[in-house]
Amino acid sequence: MTETPTSTLRAVVATPLSEDLCRLIEEREPRVRLVRDQTLLPPMRWPGDHGGDPAFTRTPEQQTAFDALVDSAEVLYGIPDESPLALARTVAANPGLRWVQTMAAGGGTQVKLAGLAGSDLERLVVTTSAGVHARSLAEFAVFGVLAGAKSLPRLSAFKESNQWTGRWTMGQVSEQTVLVVGLGSIGRETARLLYALGARVWGTSRSESAVEGVERIIHPDDLADVIGAADAVVVTLPGTDATERLVSARVLGRTKRGATLVSVGRGTVIDEDALIEVLRDGHLGFAALDVFAVEPLSPDSELWTLPNVVLSPHTAALTDAEDRLIAELFAENATRLLDGREMINIINKREFY
């Protein structure tokens, strides 16, 4: 999508952002008038904490001031309070709003939940932070593949038992076939790193375009037919209607016995009940999971107690560099919008990814 060139942009910071990064944006693109009131934004508890401290509250007067601020924006840096309801209110109240930059790579889900009117959705450009988290998530994916190959659960049990057991053979990633389900930015980076380790990498995509390090491209409809050849499977897909439970009970049942599964996309892509079943009976050897169908993961979930599972509380993407990388991406997109050029990471308004 190409936008009409313009001279300046009034961008309002609607999510926590340090003054250092505000200045970085202003230096990168001086035509952006970056408006913010730090007293109206919740403090961040850690890098990437775009919702901020939940203990933060605004007085009625502060909320009125915050609403007036976001309602004056041509551009929003972040979804107000990371809330789809707040986004819906702002869009309806602000006919001059042109562009929203989401902090999440999967920001399309937030836009979908906002239930925007068709005309409002049509006039807005929404971009996500897709790609910012690719390296950190790809590294977690490689960690998961390695942990499965190198018998992490068995090593942990061995240490906890204080017993020197007999030796055993371990898997070698350079001798394995790894199937990357989804070749977006995360999947492509995962494929590149796995290829560098010597793995044979396959990937699923609706496009037949070549991807660096990927030996074979498979259509998602054929997933069940090929998954049994993979020693490890890495799921990187976003959560959409088209991807919900794509990794179904049927697909999981056809995995190679003892295979590894890593999930770093969205938890809704995998049938979690079926996943628990194949982990429980040992058909699937190991899983490293950063995302889940419902978050936080219920304390009653069997995933907590299965010995062949490593859990991460949706934190694999977070690094100290995240906020800076999103700010840099925003500045680049602002330049593209101001110059009338194609922007990066515009969401698909039909499938919301």
Side-chain angles (χ1 to χ4, degrees):
M1 179 177 182
T2 302
E3 288 293 305
T4 304
T6 187
S7 57
T8 61
L9 284 175
R10 178 182 170 85
V12 171
V13 178
T15 193
L17 184 67
S18 72
E19 278 299 310
D20 285 345
L21 292 180
C22 288
R23 287 190 289 272
L24 180 149
I25 292 169
E26 292 168 331
E27 290 167 3
R28 291 286 181 98
E29 182 42 83
R31 292 174 291 177
V32 170
R33 292 177 291 142
L34 197 65
V35 183
R36 66 271 191 189
D37 183 340
Q38 297 289 4
T39 67
L40 301 178
L41 298 171
M44 298 177 95
R45 295 162 292 173
W46 49 73
D49 184 24
H50 302 122
D53 188 343
F56 173 83
T57 58
R58 300 185 187 98
T59 66
E61 293 77 17
Q62 286 177 317
Q63 188 62 50
T64 297
F66 181 72
D67 290 345
L69 198 60
V70 296
D71 291 352
S72 72
E74 290 178 89
V75 176
L76 286 180
Y77 186 91
I79 290 176
D81 297 328
E82 288 293 287
S83 164
L85 287 176
L87 176 63
R89 189 214 65 78
T90 304
V91 172
N94 183 0
L97 184 63
R98 301 173 57 191
W99 167 34
V100 177
Q101 169 70 49
T102 75
M103 300 297 98
T109 299
Q110 294 170 297
V111 177
K112 182 179 179 180
L113 290 172
L116 303 179
S119 58
D120 288 334
L121 189 60
E122 180 64 26
R123 69 180 163 89
L124 276 183
V125 175
V126 181
T127 57
T128 74
S129 65
V132 164
H133 313 92
R135 173 56 70 89
S136 53
L137 288 173
E139 288 187 4
F140 183 87
V142 171
F143 155 75
V145 172
L146 283 166
K150 303 306 179 186
S151 311
L152 179 60
R154 190 170 180 179
L155 289 170
S156 297
F158 163 59
K159 180 174 180 291
E160 290 172 5
S161 68
N162 293 344
Q163 294 182 8
W164 187 268
T165 69
R167 300 170 70 192
W168 68 87
T169 59
M170 289 187 177
Q172 195 169 337
V173 173
S174 60
E175 297 290 331
Q176 292 189 343
T177 297
V178 183
L179 175 60
V180 179
V181 182
L183 290 173
S185 58
I186 302 166
R188 291 193 302 273
E189 182 64 10
T190 299
R192 189 185 70 80
L193 296 179
L194 288 168
Y195 177 77
L197 288 174
R200 177 187 298 107
V201 184
W202 297 353
T204 70
S205 176
R206 297 186 183 279
S207 166
E208 296 182 0
S209 301
V211 175
E212 180 186 358
V214 179
E215 177 183 291
R216 181 181 176 189
I217 304 290
I218 296 141
H219 194 280
D221 292 346
D222 299 325
L223 181 58
D225 297 329
V226 301
I227 199 167
D231 300 287
V233 179
V234 179
V235 182
T236 71
L237 288 169
T240 69
D241 291 342
T243 64
E244 186 165 358
R245 295 197 176 191
L246 178 69
V247 183
S248 62
R250 175 172 173 265
V251 169
L252 289 166
R254 292 194 175 189
T255 53
K256 179 183 289 189
R257 185 162 190 87
T260 292
L261 183 139
V262 183
S263 180
V264 293
R266 282 295 181 267
T268 54
V269 178
I270 299 174
D271 183 331
E272 207 163 273
D273 291 336
L275 175 62
I276 290 170
E277 182 63 32
V278 293
L279 285 164
R280 184 196 299 126
D281 68 15
H283 179 86
L284 200 63
F286 175 75
L289 310 174
D290 182 55
V291 290
F292 305 89
V294 177
E295 296 180 0
L297 181 65
S298 169
D300 298 327
S301 173
E302 194 174 344
L303 290 171
W304 290 107
T305 57
L306 287 169
N308 53 346
V309 175
V310 165
L311 303 183
S312 165
H314 204 148
T315 197
L318 298 188
T319 70
D320 290 338
E322 176 177 344
D323 299 313
R324 173 182 57 80
L325 292 172
I326 296 175
E328 291 173 346
L329 174 62
F330 176 80
E332 170 64 21
N333 259 338
T335 297
R336 288 169 177 254
L337 177 60
L338 285 159
D339 292 345
R341 293 189 286 124
E342 183 82 11
M343 297 173 73
I344 302 168
N345 295 342
I346 296 176
I347 68 161
N348 179 310
K349 294 178 184 178
R350 291 186 300 275
E351 297 189 34
F352 293 95
Y353 71 88

